[in-house]
Amino acid sequence: VDYELRRKGYSAVSSKNVKSGGGVSGKQIRYTLTREGRPNVLWATVYVTGGHVTVVEAGGDAAHFEHVEADVERAIGAIDVS
């Protein structure tokens, strides 16, 4: 996931370990990209369970995203991938 996003021009700005609603450990990487002259953000969160990989992506125009960031973070943390 990281390789593909970087290849498409995204720049990673941070990463952190996260837990799903069911307690599954995952990794979240936060990216930025300028699209049509406007800053955009993208969060890619990856959970691996057994033979399954779950990728949760959230993002958009940075000016809008900053207003919903806390809600997005809560929603991603509530996902049950077990």
Side-chain angles (χ1 to χ4, degrees), residues 15-81:
S15 68
K16 66 179 187 173
N17 295 323
V18 295
K19 292 254 186 207
S20 72
V24 175
S25 295
K27 178 69 95 180
Q28 182 178 89
I29 304 176
R30 297 180 179 191
Y31 299 88
T32 60
L33 172 75
T34 300
R35 179 172 286 149
E36 297 179 11
R38 295 193 49 90
N40 280 251
V41 298
L42 175 70
W43 295 1
T45 307
V46 180
Y47 300 101
V48 179
T49 57
H52 298 352
V53 176
T54 302
V55 179
V56 181
E57 293 182 348
D61 187 276
H64 171 72
F65 196 80
E66 70 183 27
H67 297 293
V68 297
E69 185 174 323
D71 293 331
V72 171
E73 192 151 19
R74 276 191 298 278
I76 292 170
I79 294 171
D80 186 358
V81 296

Side-chain angles (χ1 to χ4, degrees), residues 4-26:
E4 283 300 314
L5 290 172
R6 287 175 189 262
R7 192 175 68 78
K8 292 178 180 179
Y10 288 87
S11 297
V13 293
S14 66
S15 68
K16 66 179 187 173
N17 295 323
V18 295
K19 292 254 186 207
S20 72
V24 175
S25 295

